[in-house]
Amino acid sequence: MSLFHRTSQRAADQPPPKRRILVADDDPSIGRLIQTALPAQQYETVVVANGIEALEAFDRGQFDLVFLDVMMPFVDGFDACERIRAKSDVPIVIITARDGTDDVVQGFRRGADEYITKPFKVAEFVARVEAILRRVDMQKSRTAPTFVQVGDLAIDAIAHKVSVRGAEVKLTPMEFELLYFLAANAGQVFTREVLYREVWGYEYIGETNLVDVCVRRLREKVEVEPSKPKLILTVRGVGYKLERSSSG
């Protein structure tokens, strides 16, 4: 057996590195539940009790995924989200006891990628973690076009940059992925179910307004008149599409 083969075999036998998950919630039962739910051989779960501890923990080491409760002492989840997003593209999920649109929009505005509502089932939480990390892995090995242009909209998938009419637009990672998907398939109409599966990575949950809120946030950033969109269009009774010929 050659040295190369033996080295390759050892590498193949080694387990993949653990994914690091940061969870900030002032309810200790939530932290215990999450640590129990995520297998220790696959995940290193760091649980903190408030926003200050979350920021300190994030600065001490790299994380693959961050969960932030909205209602925390000292620094709330929205503020912590905004501070983390300012220096990292790590996926951020807001944990909230309220699923009203205002909370969801606030989370997106501050840089969150999505949200989960308490109380949540363990299976739902684990599925959410797996889907997000699977989506990140797929993005890293992207085989779709690395540059997409539709009218005045230009997307550079390698540099993770978007420009509209020559001006760069700052998007959260999730907003970027939704816009990229629609632009790469310009002219095609997609239902919320398909967008949820293809962009977020898991099956659509009928009561969530995640797709609608993300579309609304995108329109605020890329449309000339968000209330009268000409780029990201609603197809009544079906879903959404990115207009192939519009200049935005």
Side-chain angles (χ1 to χ4, degrees), residues 62-235:
Q62 292 186 332
F63 288 90
D64 298 290
L65 178 58
V66 175
F67 286 87
L68 299 171
D69 183 39
V70 169
M71 303 299 292
M72 292 189 294
F74 309 121
V75 174
D76 67 23
F78 293 136
D79 285 342
C81 176
E82 188 171 40
R83 295 189 200 182
I84 291 174
R85 178 58 69 227
K87 53 191 172 185
S88 174
D89 284 338
V90 65
I92 301 174
V93 181
I94 289 292
I95 304 175
T96 176
R98 302 171 295 181
D99 61 354
T101 300
D102 289 344
D103 272 2
V104 178
V105 171
Q106 172 81 327
F108 273 105
R109 183 172 290 120
R110 305 295 281 274
D113 296 297
E114 51 187 285
Y115 72 98
I116 187 169
T117 305
K118 292 191 290 188
F120 50 79
K121 297 179 180 179
V122 171
E124 176 192 0
F125 184 87
V126 173
R128 189 74 61 98
V129 169
E130 292 175 344
I132 292 171
L133 295 178
R134 183 168 59 248
R135 183 181 72 223
V136 171
D137 289 341
M138 290 175 63
Q139 292 164 8
K140 290 178 180 177
S141 59
R142 194 193 303 273
T143 57
T146 57
F147 185 84
V148 178
Q149 180 147 12
V150 181
D152 292 333
L153 171 70
I155 303 175
D156 186 335
I158 300 297
H160 214 267
K161 290 184 177 181
V162 172
S163 63
V164 180
R165 296 173 291 278
E168 186 174 347
V169 178
K170 297 294 185 182
L171 302 180
T172 67
M174 202 65 258
E175 290 167 351
F176 180 92
E177 290 304 321
L178 177 57
L179 183 63
Y180 175 85
F181 181 82
L182 290 172
N185 299 280
Q188 297 185 46
V189 181
F190 295 98
T191 65
R192 292 169 177 81
E193 289 84 353
V194 170
L195 290 174
Y196 203 63
R197 182 178 66 247
E198 296 298 325
V199 179
W200 275 264
Y202 31 77
E203 293 304 315
Y204 181 72
I205 304 172
E207 64 270 16
T208 186
N209 56 1
L210 193 58
V211 174
D212 299 320
V213 173
C214 198
V215 167
R216 183 190 311 172
R217 291 288 299 150
L218 276 176
R219 284 172 171 165
E220 291 175 0
K221 296 182 178 183
V222 303
E223 298 279 2
V224 174
E225 293 185 73
S227 62
K228 299 177 181 179
K230 294 183 178 180
L231 184 62
I232 304 174
L233 303 183
T234 301
V235 179

